[in-house]
Amino acid sequence: MIAVIKILGAILYAFMAWVAVSQPLTLGANICTGVLFTLSLVHLLECWLFRKQITAAPGSTAWHMLNVFLYGILHMMVLKEIEGRALMAELAAEKAAEGNA
């Protein structure tokens, strides 16, 4: 479900960028430019606020930074889910090791 929302978000970003570039000096272009600029600032702030969780996440830090910049808190939900699965696997491994001892 989150993947579908991310795809729809990317389509919306592309549409707003297209409006902003193809129809300069119109109300629609001004609104789209303002929304994109505001989202950019907010998502940059999120990248900065969540930088510790992003660098601690498994996988590419640059890829996670890009996803947080594009999708914000939505990608952080994905990282929390990945972190939770890794923690559960670690606990299961510890329990299995205790059972073998």
Side-chain angles (χ1 to χ4, degrees):
M1 184 64 182
I2 290 180
V4 172
I5 295 171
K6 283 183 170 184
I7 291 169
L8 292 174
I11 291 169
L12 182 62
Y13 287 157
F15 175 75
M16 287 192 297
W18 175 78
V19 169
V21 171
S22 68
Q23 302 173 9
L25 303 176
T26 64
L27 179 62
N30 290 340
I31 291 171
C32 289
T33 302
V35 168
L36 289 172
F37 181 73
T38 302
L39 284 174
S40 295
L41 290 178
V42 169
H43 288 182
L44 276 174
L45 178 64
E46 287 176 340
C47 286
W48 182 76
L49 289 174
F50 295 125
R51 68 189 181 280
K52 289 181 183 177
Q53 291 96 326
I54 293 169
T55 55
S60 170
T61 299
W63 179 251
H64 290 309
M65 279 287 189
L66 176 65
N67 273 287
V68 171
F69 179 72
L70 291 175
Y71 306 112
I73 197 74
L74 191 64
H75 187 68
M76 289 306 298
M77 291 169 43
V78 172
L79 288 181
K80 294 278 185 200
E81 183 180 320
I82 292 170
E83 183 181 312
R85 276 193 253 140
L87 182 60
M88 293 301 288
E90 184 180 316
L91 291 174
E94 286 179 9
K95 187 177 270 190
E98 288 174 5
N100 291 337

